[in-house]
Amino acid sequence: MTDTPAASSETRRQIKTDQPHTARIWNYWLGGKDNYEVDQAAGDQIRKLHPGIGDYARADRLFLGRAVRYLAGECGIRQFLDIGTGLPTADNTHEVAQRTAPETRVVYVDNDPIVLAHAEALLYSTPQGRTAYLDEDLRNVDAILEQASQTLDLGEPVALMLLGVVIFIEDDDEAYGIVRRLMDALPAGSHLVLSHTITRPDMPDVDAAVAFWNEHGTPKLTQRTPAAVTRFFDGLELLDPGVVSCNRWRPDGGEAGLPAEVAMFGGVGRKA
């Protein structure tokens, strides 16, 4: 069963095709078709500044798959709240989870008209499970939880997925506060899966690429150090191997062709 709002003509009018957009560039790097020439040009320019940046998209996507398989398989998680889902591609959260447990319920959340325009066509569920899409901003924690509770039982463990989304919250206190509020609302046994673009002295080309993006694209991105990313897991049991390059989190052989390390770090934490 799938619950997705129809994308109105007004929603489609909000989509700017003359300015590069993060979700569409990500889609381009993943080999998708939901992007425009302006996104391809920006994506290629960013790749010139940092040749390995396209690998971040792939590493982050593979990390999502491994984390969801682990949670649905070994941990028995049957509910996922995926905020900042981005444009649907292959192996979305519900597809990965429902292969293991067809009864899994997934709620996707994004406030991007580009994502909304594609949500109805691309997000499907198994008959035993359920998916829903919420057109909502990450900052509106109470609204997200209230609407998500129509599909998810928030009295049972939930996996909160925040992949590449808190990078859009510039203020540190606000970013950490949002994650804490979301996790505080979930019961023991819930998990946080989070990934984030990092800044580090030995990766100056990443900083240059982000600077280019913030000058030309939308929305703006905020980098954080690996230690700052780890702070999002304060109060949780951080699972091995901790917060690491996404392709180093419990690799299973699907990382062939990726560099030894990418500047997209991720981790998984459990609420005791």
Side-chain angles (χ1 to χ4, degrees), residues 4-152:
T4 53
S8 66
S9 58
E10 175 59 30
T11 294
R12 295 183 182 277
R13 282 195 294 271
Q14 295 175 29
I15 299 174
K16 298 178 180 179
T17 61
D18 60 347
Q19 184 177 21
H21 191 282
T22 298
R24 297 195 308 249
I25 291 179
W26 207 254
N27 178 265
Y28 171 54
W29 283 335
L30 285 170
K33 299 179 180 179
D34 298 315
N35 51 78
Y36 299 95
E37 288 186 9
V38 67
D39 307 303
Q40 297 165 19
D44 290 341
Q45 181 62 37
I46 292 171
R47 192 177 275 140
K48 287 180 182 178
L49 292 169
H50 180 48
I53 202 163
D55 293 325
Y56 298 4
R58 183 176 168 221
D60 194 50
R61 200 69 183 177
L62 290 170
F63 168 62
L64 179 150
R66 295 195 305 276
V68 171
R69 283 194 296 273
Y70 168 76
L71 293 173
E74 295 189 35
C75 300
I77 298 295
R78 296 295 180 263
Q79 303 187 111
F80 291 79
L81 178 57
D82 187 335
I83 305 178
T85 179
L87 279 169
T89 59
D91 280 347
N92 300 290
T93 297
H94 74 284
E95 294 171 318
V96 177
Q98 289 179 350
R99 283 192 209 114
T100 298
E103 70 275 20
T104 300
R105 296 187 171 203
V106 178
V107 172
Y108 292 101
V109 183
D110 210 303
N111 70 331
D112 192 326
I114 296 169
V115 180
L116 175 59
H118 291 272
E120 186 173 16
L122 296 180
L123 301 182
Y124 293 97
S125 173
T126 58
Q128 305 97 313
R130 188 172 178 183
T131 63
Y133 180 91
L134 307 181
D135 181 22
E136 194 57 78
D137 191 291
L138 170 63
R139 295 174 176 85
N140 298 333
V141 172
D142 292 340
I144 289 173
L145 293 170
E146 180 181 357
Q147 295 176 69
S149 67
Q150 298 175 26
T151 302
L152 308 178

Side-chain angles (χ1 to χ4, degrees), residues 149-229:
S149 67
Q150 298 175 26
T151 302
L152 308 178
D153 179 356
L154 300 186
E156 295 294 328
V158 175
L160 173 63
M161 313 289 292
L162 295 173
L163 275 73
V165 63
V166 291
I167 60 175
F168 300 120
I169 308 295
E170 181 178 5
D171 182 80
D172 284 345
D173 289 341
E174 183 181 15
Y176 294 126
I178 287 170
V179 175
R180 279 196 302 271
R181 286 175 61 199
L182 285 165
M183 288 305 299
D184 284 348
L186 303 179
S190 294
H191 289 71
L192 170 65
V193 182
L194 183 145
S195 67
H196 200 296
T197 303
I198 66 156
T199 180
R200 209 167 63 178
D202 61 338
M203 293 182 170
D205 47 349
V206 178
D207 298 344
V210 171
F212 172 86
W213 172 256
N214 284 343
E215 181 179 355
H216 299 281
T218 182
K220 308 301 182 187
L221 310 180
T222 298
Q223 294 169 275
R224 292 183 170 91
T225 65
V229 177

